[in-house]
Amino acid sequence: MKKSKSRRDRAGVEAGKVTYEELVSRQDRKLRTRDSLMDAALTLMSQGRSFGSLSLREITREAGVVPTAFYRHFRDMDELGLALVEGSGLILRRLLREARKHGVPSTEIIRSSVTIYKKYVEENPRYFLVAARERLTGSPLMRYAIRTEVNHFINEMAQDLRDLRLIPQLSMESLRMICGLVVITMLNAASDILDLPPGQPQAEQELVDNFVRQLTLIFLGAGAWREPSPRPAETS
Amino acid sequence: MKKSKSRRDRAGVEAGKVTYEELVSRQDRKLRTRDSLMDAALTLMSQGRSFGSLSLREITREAGVVPTAFYRHFRDMDELGLALVEGSGLILRRLLREARKHGVPSTEIIRSSVTIYKKYVEENPRYFLVAARERLTGSPLMRYAIRTEVNHFINEMAQDLRDLRLIPQLSMESLRMICGLVVITMLNAASDILDLPPGQPQAEQELVDNFVRQLTLIFLGAGAWREPSPRPAETS
DNA sequence: TGTACATCAGTGAACGCGCGTTCACTGATGTAC
DNA sequence: TGTACATCAGTGAACGCGCGTTCACTGATGTAC
């Protein structure tokens, strides 16, 4: 963010055009800077770095802003981290909403879901980085926040599965257990997809096939699942 | 490592005792310092930090050694990271060896395996931190090394399952796919176990139960698995 | 066994650098009248 | 519409600090004779 003077100059007022930049309020500009800080963090992370190893100065540099501007938006790096987690949560909820919209295709349900999922991951790679990776390695604060978002996601997914009544004999608790397994498989696959060097269609296909088979196996298991008796044996 | 003079003083020579410390060669001492550097890194990581966020000086401080001593053992942090990955690989291989020793209990096989696994994770928490966490968030170099170790582990486990002939209809490829699923579930559970605050037996029991059920589901699925036809439909 | 010399694990001072954070500031945007 | 003042997003200098790495060193351990 340069001074407004020079920004106005560059914006081409002298050419008789009022650019988009001239129309937004101070508040909008502030939000845009905030976004570009979050974006900068995600960019650095997508270059293979963990959030915990990023520095405040690095992020402001990437965002094109002076280091002290950071404090207008976040108290510290932790607060930025939590904002990123919140973004990931939104992305995950949107994923479920889209899945619901597609309804229940009767054939090839898993393969088509995987295709949609893969596309979705590739369109929002950066937030999947946060969810899939920092879930395990972030600061305790960040890990806890992600765990909460992911549990939320698992619960919603379990509720959706229950509503679909595809496997009616399952209790809500079992559905949650199964969705937990599905989610770690999904996040693991997302991480693998994002690690793929581009231009390797064969490796990519193998990865997708493997993912499809793992999900198929899980749902095979779900179909064969019998609820455990409510009280386990005393010996265990 | 203090100077030998004072070390000898502290070692209690004046009390007429020759301590263990007095008996080891220079080479042994060097290895011990190397170990204490690795140990220091693991200690810091088990306090919730990622390897990538550790500094060389921090590690030498924790190891009780001057920063420059680091270079007698590792060229840089990357090399230390790879040494840690190697350590994790050894731990995983030992886990399989112990599992083999226990043979095939006919009842409650999964629950007893989980109990053994949990004990093993709790006895070697630090190396599981490396395997479970840095697998996704480490430097690209470290991630690749861990991926190699984990794939090795998956292959060995698949071979063991094949040798056991519990589910004889499965191809080696399917066994690998299934073991891949088992391993991400295992590593996820390890991460959860290590995150547990101590003294919460109920949360711990829930976690173990969930893990047991997920593995049970996977093996139910494996039992119901039919090999996919070698060539998928052209439409996919 | 004793002596003279080589090796080398660990030391400690020094360096230049990027870090997070403070502070007073600037000047465009927003508001009151 | 025009003016006078308030707000506040972003600036830039400055700070003390821990960082990775270099270098010459020390003195116990190891080796040759």
Side-chain angles (χ1 to χ4, degrees):
Chain A
M1 300 288 135
K2 289 284 169 61
K3 288 175 191 173
S4 296
K5 185 78 172 307
S6 53
R7 209 196 292 127
R8 177 170 286 171
D9 288 349
R10 275 187 294 108
V13 169
E14 68 278 15
K17 267 191 169 179
V18 177
T19 64
Y20 174 69
E21 233 183 2
E22 293 298 316
L23 295 171
V24 295
S25 68
R26 180 145 78 185
Q27 205 187 122
D28 289 337
R29 276 190 212 283
K30 184 172 185 186
L31 278 177
R32 243 196 273 163
T33 305
R34 190 186 138 98
D35 274 357
S36 71
L37 285 168
M38 292 174 65
D39 221 58
L42 292 169
T43 298
L44 293 166
M45 286 174 73
S46 65
Q47 285 161 21
R49 315 264 309 277
S50 73
F51 179 76
S53 73
L54 302 181
S55 77
L56 182 151
R57 276 172 181 267
E58 223 176 349
I59 289 170
T60 56
R61 215 180 297 129
E62 177 75 24
V65 133
V66 117
T68 44
F70 184 92
Y71 298 103
R72 294 272 171 216
H73 306 277
F74 306 101
R75 190 192 313 278
D76 51 25
M77 290 287 286
D78 274 348
E79 210 172 287
L80 171 58
L82 293 182
L84 293 178
V85 172
E86 205 186 309
S88 313
L90 285 175
I91 286 284
L92 289 178
R93 260 168 269 143
R94 228 180 68 200
L95 171 60
L96 269 186
R97 228 182 306 127
E98 294 205 8
R100 264 178 230 127
K101 244 183 8 202
H102 278 86
V104 195
S106 51
T107 59
E108 290 276 351
I109 176 169
I110 288 178
R111 185 166 286 272
S112 70
S113 300
V114 165
T115 306
I116 294 168
Y117 177 66
K118 174 159 171 286
K119 190 157 157 283
Y120 193 74
V121 169
E122 282 165 347
E123 280 167 3
N124 307 279
R126 300 136 79 82
Y127 280 110
F128 275 94
L129 280 181
V130 177
R133 296 197 178 147
E134 302 295 326
R135 179 174 65 105
L136 299 174
T137 336
S139 70
L141 198 70
M142 207 166 165
R143 270 205 320 265
Y144 180 78
I146 295 177
R147 196 160 300 201
T148 304
E149 293 287 349
V150 169
N151 282 338
H152 193 110
F153 180 78
I154 290 174
N155 285 333
E156 272 196 66
M157 190 195 253
Q159 190 58 55
D160 282 6
L161 277 189
R162 153 148 287 195
D163 293 347
L164 288 175
R165 302 198 175 288
L166 288 177
I167 325 168
Q169 83 273 21
L170 295 176
S171 71
M172 200 59 195
E173 197 197 345
S174 296
L175 279 170
R176 264 199 296 272
M177 176 275 286
I178 291 164
C179 288
L181 196 50
V182 169
V183 167
I184 63 173
T185 308
M186 271 173 53
L187 291 179
N188 193 69
S191 184
D192 285 348
I193 289 170
L194 294 175
D195 260 0
L196 266 184
Q200 296 239 22
Q202 200 189 331
E204 193 175 313
Q205 191 55 49
E206 270 174 35
L207 221 148
V208 169
D209 286 348
N210 192 56
F211 183 27
V212 168
R213 283 174 196 158
Q214 289 183 337
L215 288 181
T216 305
L217 188 99
I218 291 173
F219 283 106
L220 269 178
W225 183 257
R226 295 295 166 264
E227 295 296 331
S229 52
R231 296 208 182 187
E234 295 293 298
T235 49
S236 78
Chain B
M1 298 284 139
K2 292 284 171 56
K3 288 176 190 174
S4 295
K5 184 78 174 304
S6 52
R7 206 197 296 127
R8 176 171 284 172
D9 289 348
R10 275 187 296 110
V13 168
E14 67 277 15
K17 266 190 168 180
V18 177
T19 65
Y20 174 68
E21 235 184 0
E22 293 298 318
L23 296 172
V24 295
S25 68
R26 180 145 77 183
Q27 203 187 126
D28 289 337
R29 277 190 211 280
K30 185 174 184 186
L31 277 177
R32 244 196 273 164
T33 304
R34 190 185 138 98
D35 274 356
S36 70
L37 285 169
M38 292 174 66
D39 222 58
L42 293 170
T43 298
L44 293 167
M45 287 174 72
S46 64
Q47 286 161 19
R49 317 264 310 278
S50 72
F51 179 74
S53 73
L54 302 181
S55 77
L56 182 151
R57 275 171 182 266
E58 224 175 347
I59 290 170
T60 54
R61 215 179 296 130
E62 176 75 25
V65 131
V66 117
T68 43
F70 185 91
Y71 298 103
R72 296 272 172 218
H73 306 278
F74 305 101
R75 190 192 315 277
D76 52 25
M77 290 287 286
D78 274 349
E79 209 172 289
L80 170 58
L82 294 182
L84 293 178
V85 172
E86 205 186 309
S88 313
L90 285 174
I91 286 286
L92 289 177
R93 259 167 269 144
R94 227 180 68 200
L95 171 60
L96 270 186
R97 226 182 306 125
E98 293 204 9
R100 264 178 230 126
K101 241 181 14 202
H102 279 85
V104 195
S106 50
T107 60
E108 290 277 348
I109 175 171
I110 288 177
R111 185 165 287 272
S112 70
S113 300
V114 165
T115 306
I116 293 169
Y117 178 64
K118 175 160 171 286
K119 187 156 160 284
Y120 193 75
V121 169
E122 282 165 348
E123 281 168 1
N124 307 278
R126 300 135 81 80
Y127 280 111
F128 275 93
L129 279 182
V130 177
R133 298 199 175 145
E134 303 294 326
R135 179 175 65 106
L136 299 174
T137 335
S139 69
L141 199 70
M142 207 166 166
R143 267 200 329 259
Y144 180 77
I146 295 177
R147 195 159 298 201
T148 304
E149 293 287 349
V150 169
N151 282 338
H152 194 109
F153 180 78
I154 290 173
N155 285 334
E156 271 195 66
M157 191 195 255
Q159 189 60 56
D160 282 7
L161 277 188
R162 152 147 288 194
D163 292 347
L164 288 175
R165 303 197 175 285
L166 289 177
I167 325 170
Q169 83 274 21
L170 295 176
S171 72
M172 200 58 196
E173 198 197 345
S174 296
L175 280 169
R176 266 199 294 271
M177 177 274 287
I178 293 164
C179 289
L181 197 50
V182 169
V183 166
I184 64 174
T185 308
M186 272 172 54
L187 291 179
N188 193 69
S191 185
D192 285 348
I193 289 170
L194 295 176
D195 259 0
L196 266 184
Q200 295 240 23
Q202 199 189 330
E204 191 176 314
Q205 191 55 49
E206 269 174 35
L207 220 149
V208 169
D209 286 348
N210 192 56
F211 183 28
V212 168
R213 283 175 197 158
Q214 289 182 338
L215 288 180
T216 305
L217 188 99
I218 292 172
F219 283 106
L220 269 177
W225 184 256
R226 294 295 166 264
E227 293 297 332
S229 51
R231 296 209 184 185
E234 296 292 297
T235 50
S236 75

